[in-house]
Amino acid sequence: MDKTCDVIVVGASVIGSACAYYLASAGLKVTLLERETIASGSSTHATGLLLYTDFKDEARFRFSLESYRFTRDLVAELVELTGMDVLYQRRPLLRIVIVDDEEELIWSALRWQKELVAAHWVNGDEVRRIEPRLSSAIRGAAYFEESAQLDSTRV
């Protein structure tokens, strides 16, 4: 094993592995250190959701949107390089409302988020038409026409 490197990255989560990948792609010699196994920490427990909508301010949502688009384009590159299926799937997203407090929170975010992405409000009956196994207690949801999920451990 070579005992010299340009950069040491501590933590082989999705973020640490991404840092190591891009540093190595830039020509640096990288050592990636992990206490256990790759993606054994928080990445293993992550949902792999790529478009996170739970933001109260536009700047963070825009950052999430850019990250989503970047990752969407990166997935094909990773699959080609590694031959590993990361179980990437594009699907709509429902941000569900069950109690009164949630409804105003989600509605207030949806008002400006729908200016940036294809999204709209659906009532409880429509939510259950989309997914019949959901509770009758659901009052409605913000429906995002495009989102994606992958297996963060495989990434």
Side-chain angles (χ1 to χ4, degrees), residues 114-132:
K114 67 183 182 178
E115 302 300 321
L116 301 171
V117 295
H120 61 276
W121 181 260
V122 293
N123 66 31
D125 291 336
E126 180 66 11
V127 170
R128 284 180 291 283
R129 188 191 66 71
I130 294 166
E131 179 47 73

Side-chain angles (χ1 to χ4, degrees), residues 87-148:
L87 304 177
Y88 177 80
Q89 48 186 317
R90 290 171 72 175
R91 299 273 190 264
L93 171 72
L94 286 170
R95 189 145 180 242
I96 294 174
V97 170
I98 297 176
V99 297
D100 289 341
D101 294 352
E102 291 174 317
E103 189 164 355
E104 179 50 36
L105 174 72
I106 292 173
W107 255 113
S108 64
L110 181 61
R111 283 185 190 101
W112 56 266
Q113 288 175 347
K114 67 183 182 178
E115 302 300 321
L116 301 171
V117 295
H120 61 276
W121 181 260
V122 293
N123 66 31
D125 291 336
E126 180 66 11
V127 170
R128 284 180 291 283
R129 188 191 66 71
I130 294 166
E131 179 47 73
R133 295 172 291 179
L134 292 175
S135 167
S136 61
I138 293 171
R139 303 167 55 94
Y143 180 92
F144 293 83
E145 293 183 20
E146 182 181 336
S147 183

Side-chain angles (χ1 to χ4, degrees), residues 5-6 12 18 24 28-29 37 43 46 67 72 82 87 95 103 109 125-126 129:
C5 63
D6 299 311
L28 296 171
K29 289 175 60 178
T37 60
S43 293
S67 296
R72 179 185 62 194
T82 65
L87 304 177
R95 189 145 180 242
E103 189 164 355
D125 291 336
E126 180 66 11
R129 188 191 66 71

Side-chain angles (χ1 to χ4, degrees), residues 65-79:
L65 189 55
E66 287 304 311
S67 296
Y68 165 71
R69 291 177 178 147
F70 177 80
T71 304
R72 179 185 62 194
D73 298 339
L74 176 64
V75 165
E77 180 182 335
L78 292 175
V79 170

